[in-house]
Amino acid sequence: MSVFMRRAKLADLDRIMVLERETFEADAWPEDAMRRELESPHAYYLIAVDDEAEGDAVGLLGYAGLLAPKGGGQGDIQTIAVAPSIRGIGLGRGLMHALITEARRRHVAEIFLEVRADNPIARALYESLGFEEIGVRRRYYRGGIDAVHMRLTVPPAVARPAEAGSSGAAAAERTPLDERDAEARR
């Protein structure tokens, strides 16, 4: 499998809605709301697909959306979903990193989101990315589930020069194999 991310198009709406309904069931967005999101000049939606799948087998692995008017200073993670068959490999983190990068391009200083209080995996992901809890919205989701309101102060992009004699920025992140092996055993 080879995961490929690209900007979502209106032609992706049907596949997005299948995953939306599968993931969020009673809290799924209506199709017309998702269509408006995809068409909005203030929104940035990505999809992830298996780049090695062919024909009808090309399935949607995940999607995520950011609402952030350029120059507005603030943005909202509108939604993120990863297909159940692919959860746990880091796709959600990759989608979030891509949205944070886009927010930075739009000069967004803060990103907000809501997450179900009963979703510890998503909450842990957001906390690991630097989001902090700023409040609780009582009974926000159907079934009376609270939403945890979170905020990320968008960190500046970090650029480092490559080490002398190396090719590319990735060389600055190199760790000798024996050190990585020792770290993995800890």
Side-chain angles (χ1 to χ4, degrees), residues 104 155-159:
R104 191 178 293 115
V158 177

Side-chain angles (χ1 to χ4, degrees), residues 19-119:
L19 184 53
E20 172 77 10
R21 291 178 188 118
E22 179 180 291
T23 302
F24 300 111
E25 299 171 0
D27 289 317
W29 284 16
E31 188 169 328
D32 61 328
M34 187 65 76
R35 177 185 306 277
R36 285 191 302 272
E37 286 288 308
L38 294 176
E39 292 175 334
S40 172
H42 304 296
Y44 181 79
Y45 274 73
L46 293 173
I47 64 166
V49 296
D50 181 352
D51 198 34
E52 293 176 353
E54 296 181 20
D56 293 336
V58 178
L60 183 68
L61 302 176
Y63 65 90
L66 169 75
L67 180 63
K70 289 184 181 177
Q74 294 182 334
D76 289 288
I77 302 295
Q78 296 290 80
T79 188
I80 180 169
V82 174
S85 63
I86 195 127
R87 290 181 187 153
I89 68 161
L91 181 56
R93 179 175 301 280
L95 287 164
M96 288 296 295
H97 276 294
L99 294 183
I100 293 166
T101 298
E102 179 62 20
R104 191 178 293 115
R105 279 190 208 112
R106 293 177 182 225
H107 305 288
V108 168
E110 295 178 307
I111 302 173
F112 298 90
L113 60 78
E114 286 85 25
V115 59
R116 288 176 63 104
D118 64 351
N119 189 343

Side-chain angles (χ1 to χ4, degrees), residues 88-168:
I89 68 161
L91 181 56
R93 179 175 301 280
L95 287 164
M96 288 296 295
H97 276 294
L99 294 183
I100 293 166
T101 298
E102 179 62 20
R104 191 178 293 115
R105 279 190 208 112
R106 293 177 182 225
H107 305 288
V108 168
E110 295 178 307
I111 302 173
F112 298 90
L113 60 78
E114 286 85 25
V115 59
R116 288 176 63 104
D118 64 351
N119 189 343
I121 294 171
R123 289 175 68 179
L125 169 63
Y126 303 142
E127 288 169 2
S128 75
L129 292 169
F131 282 83
E132 61 185 355
E133 183 178 330
I134 59 172
V136 174
R137 294 183 178 189
R138 300 281 175 219
R139 303 178 59 81
Y140 183 79
Y141 294 103
R142 289 198 176 124
I145 306 298
D146 294 343
V148 176
H149 192 70
M150 302 182 86
R151 174 185 58 215
L152 171 71
T153 301
V154 178
V158 177
R160 289 176 260 203
E163 293 176 357
S166 65
S167 60

